[in-house]
Amino acid sequence: METGPRWQAGRSAALALALALALAVGPGAAPRQQDLQELPGRLAAVDSLVAAGDPGAALAEVERLAAAWGDDPLFGWQIADRRGLALLALGRLEEALPLLELTVGRRPYAAGAHRNLALALAGLGRRGRALAEYTQAVELDPGHPVHRLEHAQYLAEFGQWSAAAAEFAAAGRLCGGCPEAERGLGAALLQLGRSAEAVAPLSRAQTAQPDTSGRRLLVAALHGAGRDSALLALLDAEDPAAWDRRDHLALVEAEGRSGGDPLRSRAYAEALQAGAAPPAVDTDALFWARVALNLLKGGSWGAGLAAAERAVALEPDNAVYRNNRVVLLLKLGRTREAEAEWEHAVRLDPGLKKTD
């Protein structure tokens, strides 16, 4: 029997438990045959309590059952199994572990038993054994989407990205493209450097279930894949007040690659001149150098010079940033300043003379 947040339970489970409790034997009474016949129903009620997110009540009922029938050759081990599941759900992993191990020993071909043991082992940091149990669960029941998904997630934690991508893809097929599997597949593909392939599953996941981390992955995939139009459309529709440095940089880099009027870069330069640059990039030399380059290419030389000077002020020993300032000064007819800046840039990097 499995446990986990994915189970669903209804009011009938609580009703079943109430009925079962009403038939329980009193303290010290010998179990009646009728009580024994009711035991499967009471075990099912325990399962329902765990599934409904009430493992404390489940454990209390298990302890009552164990007191009466814990030594029963037919039901004793099933009671111990439920005790392990309740303890697992309560996070009492050290206590749950030996019981879950006994269940695996009794039912070595039950995929769910291996999965539950894997959950306990993972929670205790016994990563090698946990991965082995997840693998066993998948091998025994390859058509179970939850087992495939958890196996994929654990492979990803180990950095086994190729195997994780394959498992996420399998889980996605089995669960009908659930967002968790799609997002996991996209993340694994990104780790493998396959940004273009990551875009589709990440887009589907974000459409089905918007998520902050999923949105971050999608931005990274679009950026890495050079899907500049799609990236600009995504970012233009958002409120930049919530952006971090990566978002701002992705926007100006995509704008620079796509060509055309660098209106976004110009807006950044104007905000800089007004003392209202976004805090996330206010002191980011690379960002302002990128803005300056976009504005240089787009013919907005005055705004570009403001961005270039910000980059130089932040990293005064960067010869490339100074060279960009030289070009912008020349475009504006400020020859003497350009010559002085050029001499400074060459002192920093004599190799610039070869490209003059």
Side-chain angles (χ1 to χ4, degrees):
M1 183 66 193
E2 301 176 27
T3 183
R6 297 174 179 79
W7 286 2
Q8 301 294 323
R11 296 181 181 274
S12 60
L15 178 60
L17 175 61
L19 291 173
L21 288 173
L23 296 171
V25 296
R32 302 191 304 271
Q33 183 63 31
Q34 182 180 356
D35 297 326
L36 191 60
Q37 292 173 351
E38 296 293 334
L39 189 52
R42 293 181 66 180
L43 290 172
V46 169
D47 296 338
S48 296
L49 283 168
V50 173
D54 194 359
L59 182 61
E61 173 63 357
V62 165
E63 299 295 4
R64 286 190 286 269
L65 295 175
W69 292 294
D71 295 331
D72 186 87
L74 177 60
F75 291 105
W77 74 268
Q78 297 183 51
I79 293 169
D81 176 40
R82 268 47 172 216
R83 187 169 191 274
L85 293 178
L87 290 168
L88 175 63
L90 286 167
R92 293 163 60 177
L93 304 182
E94 290 283 3
E95 297 173 74
L97 183 61
L99 296 169
L100 298 173
E101 288 175 327
L102 285 173
T103 298
V104 167
R106 295 187 188 99
R107 303 175 63 207
Y109 302 110
H114 288 278
R115 180 258 186 168
N116 292 332
L117 178 55
L119 288 171
L121 290 166
L124 291 169
R126 303 179 189 180
R127 300 178 63 195
R129 283 192 63 199
L131 182 57
E133 293 299 330
Y134 277 126
T135 302
Q136 187 69 44
V138 168
E139 289 177 353
L140 289 168
D141 189 1
H144 198 300
V146 172
H147 296 176
R148 300 300 287 258
L149 182 58
E150 290 178 348
H151 186 219
Q153 291 166 340
Y154 214 64
L155 286 167
E157 288 185 28
F158 269 76
Q160 297 183 23
W161 297 109
S162 293
E167 280 293 82
F168 277 123
R173 289 191 295 271
L174 291 167
C175 70
C178 53
E180 297 86 354
E182 295 274 44
R183 192 164 285 131
L185 173 59
L189 292 170
L190 271 178
Q191 289 290 335
L192 291 168
R194 294 156 60 181
S195 299
E197 295 175 62
V199 169
L202 290 172
S203 296
R204 290 192 295 266
Q206 195 64 7
T207 298
Q209 186 184 80
D211 175 82
T212 300
S213 62
R215 176 254 179 211
R216 163 61 49 211
L217 291 169
L218 179 56
V219 168
L222 291 168
H223 189 224
R227 297 276 298 276
D228 297 321
S229 295
L231 178 56
L232 291 173
L234 171 65
L235 294 175
D236 283 343
E238 296 181 344
D239 179 3
W243 289 358
D244 63 15
R245 181 239 184 201
R246 293 168 294 181
D247 297 313
H248 292 286
L249 187 59
L251 181 71
V252 296
E253 288 184 348
E255 181 175 64
R257 288 195 299 253
S258 61
D261 181 16
L263 56 93
R264 302 167 187 83
S265 295
R266 189 160 53 248
Y268 279 116
E270 291 170 355
L272 175 67
Q273 292 171 300
V281 290
D282 186 36
T283 58
D284 191 321
L286 175 62
F287 173 80
W288 292 112
R290 180 72 251 191
V291 169
L293 186 59
N294 288 355
L295 294 170
L296 170 61
K297 293 178 179 178
S300 296
W301 300 326
L305 181 61
E309 288 179 338
R310 180 62 170 163
V312 169
L314 291 168
E315 288 191 22
D317 294 333
N318 190 304
V320 173
Y321 297 170
R322 287 189 173 275
N323 187 53
N324 290 342
R325 183 170 183 267
V326 169
V327 177
L328 285 159
L329 287 167
L330 289 172
K331 292 290 186 182
L332 292 167
R334 295 163 61 173
T335 307
R336 288 188 178 180
E337 291 175 79
E339 289 174 351
E341 184 71 353
W342 172 247
E343 290 176 4
H344 197 154
V346 169
R347 284 197 298 272
L348 291 169
D349 183 5
L352 287 174
K353 284 187 174 181
K354 298 177 183 179
T355 60
D356 183 14

